[in-house]
Amino acid sequence: ITHLYYWRNIQENLLGFLTFLRSVITHLRLFVAPYDLHFDRSRALFGNFADPEMVLTVILFLSFVIFLLFNRRKISAKILFFIFWFFIDLFPVSQMIVTIGVATGYISTAEHFLYKPSVAIFVLLVFAGEYLYRKNIQKNLLSPLVVRSGIVAIFTFFFLSTIQQNIYSSNEIAMFKQTLQYAPYNVRIRESYGHALTQLRLYREAEEQFRLALQHDPSPRTKISLAKDLCDKGRYWEGIQEYEQIKNPGGHKELLQENLRL
């Protein structure tokens, strides 16, 4: 966990940061419409600076910064404080310092990154709710019944979403399968899914997951996992062949040697 991976050059670093900014838009959307929650969320890196989605992301954030600068005297100190809280808390995972990835060409945008930053957003949502409530009373736009019905509908949706996610999180197989529906390229989830299947002695299904993971990212760790799975099924010669194809095991050298010895 202490081994860090750094960007190869400034261009990649900047593309990584801009991809992170795009992920922030998704994170903000999740606070009001969490309809696609899943474990270990990720996002494909922008490939170049001409990507239309990247350009729109830059325009959106520049517009936001310009709005804050021109209206800084009108916006209360409390609101500014919580806006900065959100972005400062996300800075460690902003891809500016090191890469935080899940597979080649994909960065991690996991929802657990939002634990502390979410405090700021919830406070801002309360401020926004109070403002809209007062405006509604002043201008009598919506009847109290409509407002109450809307609030009940929103909280019912959140309540049912919470139940659904608790059901998924109670079973790791279900949680991994749900994530792979959204992100089939996520190697570490696919490999974890393979290990979970191995624990259930579903070796054929586990082998399929390890081979799919290798198609996306032929890493030594995944190669070792596949070889171990083959040996667990009694296909020792095939397993040894997979082990011997690993020329540079990196930090997995001792594991590779021990598995070969066994």
Side-chain angles (χ1 to χ4, degrees):
I1 199 170
T2 58
H3 189 81
L4 304 178
Y5 298 89
Y6 295 91
W7 295 103
R8 294 178 296 182
N9 52 59
I10 294 176
Q11 178 178 330
E12 283 190 0
N13 198 330
L14 186 55
L15 286 170
F17 174 67
L18 292 172
T19 306
F20 158 76
L21 289 182
R22 174 60 185 85
S23 75
V24 171
I25 298 172
T26 299
H27 283 156
L28 291 171
R29 189 266 298 164
L30 287 172
F31 284 108
V32 292
Y35 56 78
D36 60 343
L37 297 175
H38 60 276
F39 181 60
D40 204 28
R41 185 182 293 273
S42 55
R43 184 165 190 86
L45 277 164
F46 287 131
N48 57 72
F49 294 104
D51 189 304
E53 195 171 1
M54 192 214 70
V55 173
L56 288 173
T57 299
V58 172
I59 291 172
L60 182 63
F61 276 94
L62 278 178
S63 301
F64 177 68
V65 171
I66 291 169
F67 173 81
L68 287 181
L69 288 173
F70 278 92
N71 295 276
R72 63 187 182 278
R73 298 187 187 280
K74 299 178 184 178
I75 302 173
S76 72
K78 284 189 294 185
I79 290 177
L80 287 173
F81 172 79
F82 286 108
I83 289 173
F84 281 107
W85 173 330
F86 177 73
F87 286 102
I88 289 171
D89 254 350
L90 279 178
F91 179 73
V93 294
S94 67
Q95 309 291 328
M96 285 290 288
I97 307 169
V98 294
T99 68
I100 304 174
V102 298
T104 303
Y106 293 86
I107 65 167
S108 176
T109 60
E111 275 136 37
H112 65 256
F113 293 166
L114 293 175
Y115 287 168
K116 283 177 64 185
S118 67
V119 175
I121 296 298
F122 291 142
V123 174
L124 291 171
L125 286 173
V126 170
F127 287 153
E130 286 180 334
Y131 173 80
L132 292 173
Y133 184 74
R134 287 196 300 268
K135 283 292 182 183
N136 184 62
I137 291 176
Q138 291 172 5
K139 299 187 176 181
N140 197 26
L141 298 172
L142 299 171
S143 69
L145 177 61
V146 172
V147 173
R148 285 196 294 270
S149 299
I151 291 172
V152 169
I154 290 169
F155 276 89
T156 300
F157 171 69
F158 288 162
F159 179 71
L160 294 175
S161 296
T162 301
I163 292 174
Q164 181 189 45
Q165 294 307 311
N166 273 295
I167 292 170
Y168 276 118
S169 64
S170 66
N171 184 296
E172 65 175 356
I173 294 290
M175 188 168 62
F176 294 147
K177 288 176 71 175
Q178 181 203 31
T179 298
L180 291 171
Q181 288 177 355
Y182 289 102
Y185 54 79
N186 192 323
V187 173
R188 64 185 184 184
I189 290 296
R190 195 170 290 284
E191 190 176 344
S192 297
Y193 182 32
H195 287 303
L197 291 170
T198 300
Q199 293 297 317
L200 297 174
R201 298 184 182 276
L202 298 172
Y203 298 122
R204 183 178 60 80
E205 292 84 350
E207 179 186 350
E208 180 183 354
Q209 294 305 315
F210 292 135
R211 291 195 183 278
L212 285 170
L214 282 170
Q215 289 177 14
H216 290 285
D217 186 17
S219 67
R221 185 181 65 183
T222 308
K223 200 84 169 170
I224 290 171
S225 297
L226 172 61
K228 179 69 167 62
D229 179 75
L230 291 170
C231 289
D232 286 340
K233 287 189 287 193
R235 292 158 61 183
Y236 303 113
W237 180 241
E238 291 178 65
I240 290 171
Q241 285 181 317
E242 293 291 342
Y243 283 133
E244 290 180 341
Q245 288 177 18
I246 303 170
K247 304 303 180 186
N248 183 19
H252 304 287
K253 184 178 180 180
E254 289 185 10
L255 175 64
L256 175 61
Q257 291 175 342
E258 177 64 11
N259 281 14
L260 268 171
R261 184 189 66 79
L262 290 172

